[in-house]
Amino acid sequence: MIKYKTSEEIELMREAALVVSRTLGEVAKLIEPGVTGLKLDKVAEECIRDQGAIPAFLGQYDFPNTLCISPNAQVVHGIPSDVPFKNGDIVSVDCGAILNGYFGDHAYTFPVGEVKPEVLELLRVTKESLYKGIEATNTSNRIGDIGYTIQQHAEAHNYGVVRELVGHGLGTALHEDPQVPNYGKRGRGKRIQNGLTIAIEPMINMGTEKIRQLPDGWTILTADGLPSAHFEHDVAVVDGKAEILSTFDYIEEAIGVL
Ligand code: MG
Ligand code: MG
C-alpha cells in the first residue's frame, strides 16, 4: 500500500534527504586515487551522526556499513573495502540516513582521477536518465512512465538497464510501496498522485543489462564485467509535479558538474 505524505511529512523527508546530500558532499571532497571505501565509510558515518541523524544502511537487512560503495563493474550494494581506488575508476556511493524517523537515500557515481571519455559518457547519460525520470514523475503519468522514460534514454545510447533492482517508495521505511522500475511501458502502473514520495535510481550498464551477485550475498556486478553507473534522488510529488528533496549541489561544489 502506498503511503502518501502530508506537506509536513515531506518537509521532514527533505531534512533527511539533505543529511545524505551533505554527507555525499563530504565524501566527494575525498575521492581520489589511493583513497579506500572504508575511509569514505568512516567519514560518512561521522558526518551523518554530526547532523543528529542515524546511518540508515548500517544493520539494515544486516548490511555491515554506512555506505554502499560499488566501483567499476559493481552495480550497487558493494561493501566498503580497504582496496584503494585507482586513477580511471568510477565509484558509486549510495548513502542513507534517518532523521526524525524519516529516511533519506541517495547516490552518485564519482569519477576517480582521469576517466575514459566513454565511461564519463555513461555517467552523464545515467544522470540525465534520472532527471528525465524525475520529469516524468507527475500527476498526468503513471509509475510505468517513469521507467519507460529512463529506459528510452539509456537504450538510445545502447546501454543496458538493470531489471532486478528498482527504485522505491520512501518514508518512515527505507523501502515502501511502490516499486519504481527503471524500465517499463507507457501508461502502466499506479497513477502518480500528490504526496507520493519515491527514490528514483537508474542503474545503467555500459554493456549487458544482466547482472550477477558475489558470494558475499550483497555485491551486484555486471555479468560482462563492463562498468555500471547509478544515480539516485529522493522526490515528492507536490502540486502535480516532482520536487527533488535531495540535491547534488554539495557534490558539484566539491568536484564540479560531470
Ligand atoms: Mg540508495
Ligand atoms: Mg534507494
Side-chain angles (χ1 to χ4, degrees):
M1 201 188 69
I2 298 175
K3 292 183 189 162
Y4 297 95
K5 310 298 190 295
T6 63
S7 52
E8 289 78 14
E9 290 174 304
I10 289 169
E11 285 319 303
L12 291 170
M13 290 191 61
R14 189 194 313 277
E15 288 176 28
L18 291 176
V19 168
V20 179
S21 303
R22 290 184 207 105
T23 303
L24 290 176
E26 290 306 305
V27 164
K29 292 177 189 168
L30 299 174
I31 291 195
E32 60 179 5
V35 168
T36 69
L38 277 172
K39 165 76 182 170
L40 301 183
D41 191 69
K42 189 167 178 291
V43 168
E45 180 172 356
E46 283 172 9
C47 185
I48 290 168
R49 295 197 192 279
D50 284 350
Q51 297 178 80
I54 301 164
F57 296 170
L58 187 64
Q60 176 96 224
Y61 317 111
D62 289 329
F63 188 75
N65 291 86
T66 293
L67 299 177
C68 294
I69 297 193
S70 312
N72 302 319
Q74 294 188 11
V75 179
V76 286
H77 299 170
I79 298 173
S81 83
D82 58 3
V83 179
F85 302 143
K86 301 183 307 298
N87 188 50
D89 283 352
I90 57 168
V91 183
S92 155
V93 179
D94 195 349
C95 181
I98 310 167
L99 184 69
N100 297 317
Y102 287 86
F103 282 72
D105 169 24
H106 81 121
Y108 197 91
T109 302
F110 296 91
V112 181
E114 294 293 310
V115 170
K116 282 186 199 155
E118 63 266 33
V119 178
L120 271 183
E121 180 71 1
L122 172 70
L123 299 190
R124 284 195 201 100
V125 170
T126 304
K127 192 168 147 215
E128 283 166 12
S129 74
L130 168 61
Y131 282 102
K132 286 177 184 287
I134 292 169
E135 252 175 71
T137 307
N138 62 66
T139 51
S140 308
N141 279 343
R142 292 175 179 270
I143 295 293
D145 293 298
I146 303 171
Y148 170 83
T149 305
I150 291 169
Q151 182 181 13
Q152 289 301 110
H153 190 60
E155 290 184 352
H157 292 80
N158 292 317
Y159 296 146
V161 177
V162 172
R163 302 297 201 269
E164 291 86 345
L165 298 136
V166 297
H168 49 93
L170 185 71
T172 53
L174 179 58
H175 296 120
E176 295 186 353
D177 285 339
Q179 293 202 341
V180 185
N182 298 302
Y183 62 95
K185 294 207 168 74
R186 261 180 172 158
R188 297 286 177 86
K190 282 238 158 67
R191 186 168 284 290
I192 294 169
Q193 294 182 31
N194 285 323
L196 180 74
T197 52
I198 54 175
I200 304 179
E201 50 178 318
M203 289 154 253
I204 307 296
N205 299 346
M206 185 170 269
T208 179
E209 76 265 20
K210 298 267 186 301
I211 55 165
R212 65 190 182 89
Q213 190 170 35
L214 284 187
D216 64 19
W218 280 105
T219 312
I220 304 292
L221 301 116
T222 59
D224 58 10
L226 290 175
S228 180
H230 173 222
F231 289 82
E232 178 176 24
H233 265 317
D234 302 337
V235 310
V237 180
V238 177
D239 295 334
K241 57 182 188 2
E243 209 175 284
I244 307 178
L245 303 177
S246 45
T247 177
F248 293 147
D249 286 357
Y250 299 103
I251 293 171
E252 289 172 349
E253 273 166 32
I255 64 166
V257 179
L258 279 175

